[in-house]
Amino acid sequence: ATDGLFDNLWEEQLLELVEEALEDGRQDADVAEELALMLATVSHDNALDRNFRSPWAVEAAAAGVLPAMERMMPKGGKLDDCTVVVGIVQAV
């Protein structure tokens, strides 16, 4: 995935979405496509949410690039390109 995904999704969210997509046991190309679309959509939704405490906002606050008041409670996503490719690998 591009940085647009990782700027707007926490690792825990990412794992939750992957587990949810695979919970019914399907592991085929359709699931990979659905998961890629779901990850990109959730990332985009988070990027538009001004109240979402995103990984990008937290990192920007830690780097000191946000105004002082925003550094205390960083929030907001980052609009950016978001490309996701999901592959399902099965051992034979």
Side-chain angles (χ1 to χ4, degrees), residues 10-86:
W10 292 99
E11 287 181 28
E12 295 82 15
Q13 286 181 295
L14 181 61
L15 289 173
E16 214 172 273
L17 292 168
V18 169
E19 288 171 357
E20 182 181 313
L22 299 176
E23 71 186 358
D24 65 0
R26 290 177 36 222
Q27 294 185 3
D28 55 27
D30 290 337
V31 171
E33 184 177 349
E34 291 166 14
L35 180 56
L37 180 60
M38 181 188 340
L39 293 172
T41 300
V42 172
S43 176
H44 180 73
D45 291 347
N46 287 349
L48 295 173
D49 185 349
R50 293 176 179 237
N51 294 312
F52 177 64
R53 185 175 168 86
S54 69
W56 173 81
V58 171
E59 287 296 320
V65 297
L66 296 178
M69 291 302 290
E70 290 181 37
R71 278 187 242 147
M72 292 190 293
M73 291 296 290
K75 57 186 176 179
K78 179 181 183 227
L79 276 175
D80 198 355
D81 66 293
C82 183
T83 302
V84 180
V85 176
V86 173

